[in-house]
Coordinates of all heavy atoms in Angstrom, one line a residue:
G44 N 6.5 -0.2 15.0 CA 7.6 -0.4 14.1 C 8.7 -1.1 14.7 O 8.8 -1.4 15.9
M45 N 9.7 -1.4 13.8 CA 10.8 -2.3 14.3 C 11.8 -1.5 15.3 O 11.8 -0.3 15.4 CB 11.7 -2.6 13.0 CG 11.2 -3.7 12.2 SD 11.1 -5.3 13.1 CE 12.8 -5.7 13.2
M46 N 12.5 -2.4 15.9 CA 13.6 -1.9 16.8 C 14.5 -0.9 15.9 O 14.8 -1.3 14.8 CB 14.5 -3.0 17.3 CG 13.8 -4.1 18.1 SD 14.7 -5.5 18.4 CE 14.1 -6.7 17.1
G47 N 14.8 0.2 16.5 CA 15.7 1.1 15.7 C 15.0 2.1 14.8 O 15.6 2.9 14.1
K50 N 11.0 5.0 17.5 CA 9.8 5.2 18.2 C 9.9 6.1 19.5 O 9.1 7.0 19.7 CB 9.1 3.9 18.5 CG 8.7 3.1 17.3 CD 8.4 1.7 17.6 CE 9.7 1.0 18.1 NZ 9.7 -0.4 18.2
D69 N 8.0 -0.1 26.8 CA 9.1 -1.0 27.3 C 9.5 -0.6 28.7 O 9.8 -1.4 29.5 CB 10.3 -0.9 26.3 CG 10.1 -1.8 25.1 OD1 9.2 -2.6 25.1 OD2 10.9 -1.6 24.1
I80 N 14.4 -5.4 30.4 CA 13.9 -6.4 29.4 C 14.8 -7.5 29.1 O 14.4 -8.7 29.0 CB 13.5 -5.6 28.1 CG1 12.2 -4.8 28.4 CG2 13.3 -6.6 26.9 CD1 11.8 -4.0 27.3
F84 N 13.7 -11.5 29.5 CA 13.9 -12.6 28.5 C 14.8 -13.7 29.0 O 14.5 -14.9 28.8 CB 14.6 -12.0 27.2 CG 13.6 -11.5 26.2 CD1 12.9 -10.3 26.3 CD2 13.3 -12.2 25.0 CE1 12.1 -9.8 25.4 CE2 12.5 -11.8 24.0 CZ 11.8 -10.5 24.2
F92 N 7.5 -12.4 28.6 CA 7.6 -11.0 28.3 C 6.4 -10.6 27.4 O 5.8 -9.5 27.7 CB 8.9 -10.8 27.5 CG 9.0 -9.4 26.8 CD1 9.3 -8.3 27.6 CD2 8.6 -9.2 25.5 CE1 9.3 -7.0 27.0 CE2 8.7 -7.9 24.9 CZ 9.0 -6.8 25.7
R93 N 6.0 -11.4 26.5 CA 4.9 -11.0 25.6 C 3.6 -10.8 26.4 O 2.8 -9.9 26.1 CB 4.7 -12.0 24.5 CG 5.9 -12.1 23.5 CD 6.1 -10.8 22.7 NE 7.3 -10.8 21.9 CZ 7.9 -9.8 21.5 NH1 7.5 -8.5 21.8 NH2 9.0 -9.8 20.8
E96 N 3.8 -7.7 28.3 CA 3.7 -6.5 27.3 C 2.3 -6.3 26.9 O 1.8 -5.1 26.9 CB 4.5 -6.9 26.0 CG 4.5 -5.9 24.9 CD 5.4 -6.3 23.7 OE1 5.2 -7.5 23.2 OE2 6.2 -5.5 23.3
T113 N 5.6 1.8 21.4 CA 5.5 0.4 21.8 C 6.8 -0.4 21.3 O 7.4 0.0 20.3 CB 4.3 -0.3 21.1 OG1 4.4 -0.2 19.7 CG2 3.0 0.4 21.6
G114 N 7.1 -1.5 21.9 CA 8.2 -2.3 21.4 C 7.8 -3.0 20.1 O 6.6 -3.1 19.7
G115 N 8.9 -3.4 19.4 CA 8.7 -3.8 18.0 C 7.7 -5.0 17.8 O 7.2 -5.2 16.7
G116 N 7.6 -5.8 18.9 CA 6.7 -7.0 18.7 C 5.3 -6.8 19.2 O 4.4 -7.6 18.9
R153 N 19.0 -5.6 23.0 CA 17.8 -6.1 22.4 C 18.0 -7.7 22.3 O 18.7 -8.2 21.4 CB 17.6 -5.5 21.0 CG 17.1 -4.0 21.2 CD 17.0 -3.3 20.0 NE 16.3 -2.1 20.1 CZ 16.7 -0.9 19.7 NH1 17.9 -0.8 19.2 NH2 16.0 0.2 19.9
P154 N 17.3 -8.4 23.2 CA 17.5 -9.8 23.3 C 17.2 -10.6 22.0 O 17.9 -11.5 21.7 CB 16.5 -10.2 24.4 CG 15.7 -9.0 24.8 CD 16.4 -7.8 24.2
L155 N 16.3 -10.1 21.2 CA 15.9 -10.8 20.0 C 17.1 -10.8 19.0 O 17.1 -11.7 18.1 CB 14.7 -10.3 19.4 CG 13.3 -10.6 20.0 CD1 12.2 -10.0 19.2 CD2 13.2 -12.0 20.2
R172 N 7.1 -9.2 9.9 CA 6.3 -8.1 10.6 C 5.8 -7.0 9.7 O 4.7 -6.4 10.0 CB 7.2 -7.5 11.7 CG 7.4 -8.4 12.8 CD 8.3 -7.7 13.8 NE 8.5 -8.5 15.1 CZ 9.2 -8.2 16.1 NH1 9.8 -7.0 16.1 NH2 9.3 -8.9 17.2
Ligands
S3P311 C1 11.3 -6.1 20.7 C2 11.6 -4.8 20.7 C3 12.1 -4.1 21.8 C4 11.6 -4.8 23.1 C5 11.9 -6.2 23.1 C6 11.3 -7.0 21.9 C7 10.8 -6.8 19.4 O1 11.6 -2.8 21.8 O2 10.2 -4.6 23.3 O3 13.3 -6.3 23.1 O4 10.2 -7.9 19.5 O5 11.0 -6.2 18.4 P1 12.1 -1.6 20.7 O6 11.3 -1.9 19.5 O7 11.7 -0.3 21.4 O8 13.5 -1.8 20.6

Side-chain angles (χ1 to χ4, degrees):
M45 280 297 289
M46 302 169 258
K50 293 164 298 195
D69 281 348
I80 285 176
F84 269 77
F92 169 78
R93 295 296 173 203
E96 178 178 53
T113 61
R153 288 176 166 126
L155 285 185
R172 291 178 174 181

